[in-house]
Amino acid sequence: MTPSIITLSDKKGKVFAVIKKKAGMEVASNISLKDYNTFGIDAVARHLVKVSSVEKLQDVLKQDRWKETPKLILGGGSNVLFTSPEVELVVKMDIRGIEVIEENDDFVWIKVGAGENWHELVMYCIDQGWGGVENLSLIPGTVGAAPMQNIGAYGVEIKDVFTQLEAVDIETATLRTFNPEECKFGYRESVFKNIYKEKYIIASVNFRLNKRPQINTSYGAIEEVLTERLGSTGAKSASIRDVSEAVIHIRQSKLPDPNKIGNAGSFFKNPVVPRAKFEGLQQQFTSVPGYPVSESKVKVPAGWLIEQAGWKGKRFGNVGVHNRQALVLVNFGSAQGEEIKKLAYDIQQSVQEKFGILIQPEVNIV
Ligand code: FAD
Ligand code: EPU
């Protein structure tokens, strides 16, 4: 089949993209990725393919021309930092659909396409009266990326509602199912970020939601906002929509909006240290916050460590550390990925020197 060709030009007539449509597959060439990542880094994709079905994804993987090409799988680009000016092939996930696969009086099981927007899914569930994901309101990105790092916020992680996912093996283009045990979810972790990094593309994710929702206000700030809004008794009987609105309120008061200033949320993970190490820190820094995660381990907020190391609100040319959340690195407009990476490295070194803790990036540096 002869591919149909569409060229896109700017106001001066300069061609900035050539799109070839072949067998229903859209391939764009030399595309700026600035609008495809929330850091707003202006890298270029030599080729960008949008895939809207499992079959199209498999077609791309089977093509001889791309068999050996490294592929960057992209959802909403809200957890990536591009550090090279060029990426050879971007596979943009656009598989849509929310399907009810089973339900009873208590629960509903749904299957969701990887390209669906996470927050829109949360809003859809709330509209249906299905509970379980309301605490995860306003997390940017796609459903397919959510299991990658077991997204979490305000006392809930997706592992709490996850039942299984389907993923395509990049090497063989075959579809495989992963159950919760096989995903090995942890704090900001899964097999897809570790042993299966760049081996599988998540095509759909299944969740079990609660038709008789139980709200979770274990994260103190939610309770506070609900009490402010509904009074102390109201907070106990709040609806899932009330919880979602409280979470949105808290998030908007702390986190910068990527549409206004480039960022990827928390740049680093919160380190989990042995209890003895934490007790040592307490002796030196009496106000150090810590949350026990087991008998022997304590999670220390990286935002506190970075703030204490003197970085909060600091700006260095095009990049900086947000003034309300020290865990968030920002692009003031025209930064290169390397500038953000350098800032992250300097912060990491200084936290290591001051506290003896090596904080690790949460963001995927590519
Ligand atoms: P992308 O950035 O496109 O990709 C992230 C990684 O996943 C990349 O390595 C990519 O190759 C891979 N990937 C993407 N899609 C697929 C797929 N279908 N199959 C295989 N690999 C894939 N995260 C939290 O956990 N909690 C928060 O509270 C939170 N708050 C945030 C707030 C802000 C303002 C921002 C900007 C980010 C925040 N994040 C948070 C991080 C981010 O939203 C999540 O990690 C989200 O799941 C990323 O989705 P995405 O589609 O944008 O992924
Ligand atoms: N803190 C400071 N200074 C700061 C920021 C934080 O001292 O500038 C300390 C405070 O003690 C505060 C504590 O850190 O009480 C925790 O701060 P916050 O509630 O803002 O949460 P966080 O640990 O910074 C984590 C996640 C967020 C998630 C929130 C809410 C990680 C790496 N980050 O942030 O996730 O939304 O909790 O659950 O676990 C993301 O992953 O991108 C993300 C935004």
Side-chain angles (χ1 to χ4, degrees):
M1 177 199 275
T2 324
S4 57
I5 296 179
I6 307 161
T7 53
L8 303 177
S9 319
D10 64 16
K11 282 184 193 148
K12 291 180 186 156
K14 187 176 162 227
V15 174
F16 63 85
V18 178
I19 300 174
K20 289 184 190 165
K21 238 183 152 184
K22 192 182 170 199
M25 188 187 299
E26 274 186 21
V27 184
S29 302
N30 300 323
I31 286 283
S32 164
L33 292 173
K34 199 171 167 58
D35 293 337
Y36 286 87
N37 70 106
T38 59
F39 257 129
I41 302 296
D42 197 3
V44 170
R46 301 264 292 135
H47 304 286
L48 184 144
V49 188
K50 266 193 190 172
V51 288
S52 54
S53 68
V54 171
E55 295 69 30
K56 283 185 184 163
L57 178 55
Q58 289 170 320
D59 279 355
V60 171
L61 297 175
K62 282 179 194 160
Q63 288 204 5
D64 286 342
R65 116 181 233 214
W66 283 324
K67 204 99 192 84
E68 302 304 324
T69 311
K71 297 159 193 78
L72 173 68
I73 315 307
L74 202 58
S78 64
N79 212 14
V80 285
L81 176 63
F82 297 125
T83 54
S84 309
E86 256 186 28
V87 181
E88 185 59 31
L89 175 61
V90 169
V91 178
K92 171 83 177 94
M93 296 305 288
D94 201 23
I95 302 174
R96 298 300 175 116
I98 304 174
E99 190 191 337
V100 172
I101 47 175
E102 198 185 328
E103 64 185 308
N104 60 26
D105 289 346
D106 298 321
F107 298 105
V108 57
W109 286 260
I110 59 171
K111 176 177 179 176
V112 187
E116 287 289 343
N117 176 276
W118 174 262
H119 177 67
E120 283 170 18
L121 172 68
V122 172
M123 291 298 108
Y124 177 81
C125 292
I126 291 171
D127 288 344
Q128 307 302 312
W130 301 337
V133 284
E134 56 281 359
N135 294 47
L136 302 175
S137 297
L138 215 62
I139 298 182
T142 54
V143 167
M148 277 288 294
Q149 67 161 19
N150 178 28
I151 57 166
Y154 299 95
V156 173
E157 293 179 329
I158 71 146
K159 74 167 172 46
D160 303 328
V161 287
F162 173 93
T163 56
Q164 66 171 56
L165 62 76
E166 281 184 334
V168 177
D169 183 327
I170 293 180
E171 184 84 30
T172 61
T174 51
L175 195 63
R176 160 176 175 187
T177 302
F178 284 81
N179 66 30
E181 291 72 38
E182 289 166 324
C183 293
K184 297 204 185 341
F185 291 124
Y187 162 63
R188 298 293 189 272
E189 278 301 341
S190 77
V191 280
F192 304 104
K193 239 187 147 173
N194 285 306
I195 52 167
Y196 292 147
K197 192 173 157 72
E198 286 156 26
K199 299 255 183 293
Y200 283 95
I201 302 176
I202 298 167
S204 64
V205 188
N206 292 18
F207 303 99
R208 188 190 77 160
L209 299 159
N210 203 328
K211 286 172 142 185
R212 304 180 199 274
Q214 313 255 308
I215 59 162
N216 175 346
T217 57
S218 59
Y219 208 94
I222 300 182
E223 191 112 348
E224 276 165 40
V225 173
L226 287 174
T227 305
E228 247 169 56
R229 293 180 166 203
L230 308 168
S232 57
T233 47
K236 289 199 173 52
S237 56
S239 66
I240 51 175
R241 194 178 299 280
D242 293 329
V243 172
S244 166
E245 284 171 2
V247 167
I248 290 173
H249 173 81
I250 302 165
R251 294 182 69 95
Q252 285 176 334
S253 70
K254 287 190 182 188
L255 292 165
D257 177 354
N259 289 320
K260 297 189 180 133
I261 184 157
N263 75 90
S266 303
F267 194 91
F268 297 97
K269 296 194 245 186
N270 288 326
V272 175
V273 301
R275 178 167 289 279
K277 166 76 188 171
F278 181 69
E279 286 166 358
L281 282 176
Q282 275 181 316
Q283 282 174 7
Q284 238 186 315
F285 308 96
T286 44
S287 63
V288 58
Y291 309 97
V293 291
S294 70
E295 284 279 295
S296 59
K297 297 267 166 81
V298 179
K299 192 187 271 180
V300 182
W304 186 89
L305 299 171
I306 296 168
E307 180 173 350
Q308 296 302 308
W311 293 94
K312 193 169 182 170
K314 290 274 166 68
R315 178 173 178 162
F316 308 89
N318 295 318
V319 299
V321 179
H322 194 247
N323 57 8
R324 273 176 286 141
Q325 224 315 353
L327 204 41
V328 178
L329 306 191
V330 296
N331 171 10
F332 287 105
S334 52
Q336 306 280 314
E338 277 297 337
E339 292 175 83
I340 292 170
K341 190 177 168 189
K342 159 95 173 47
L343 174 62
Y345 178 78
D346 291 345
I347 292 173
Q348 196 183 37
Q349 293 301 304
S350 110
V351 167
Q352 162 92 326
E353 271 164 34
K354 189 170 170 79
F355 299 103
I357 297 176
L358 186 63
I359 51 174
Q360 297 292 349
E362 173 192 304
V363 170
N364 301 279
I365 300 170
V366 289

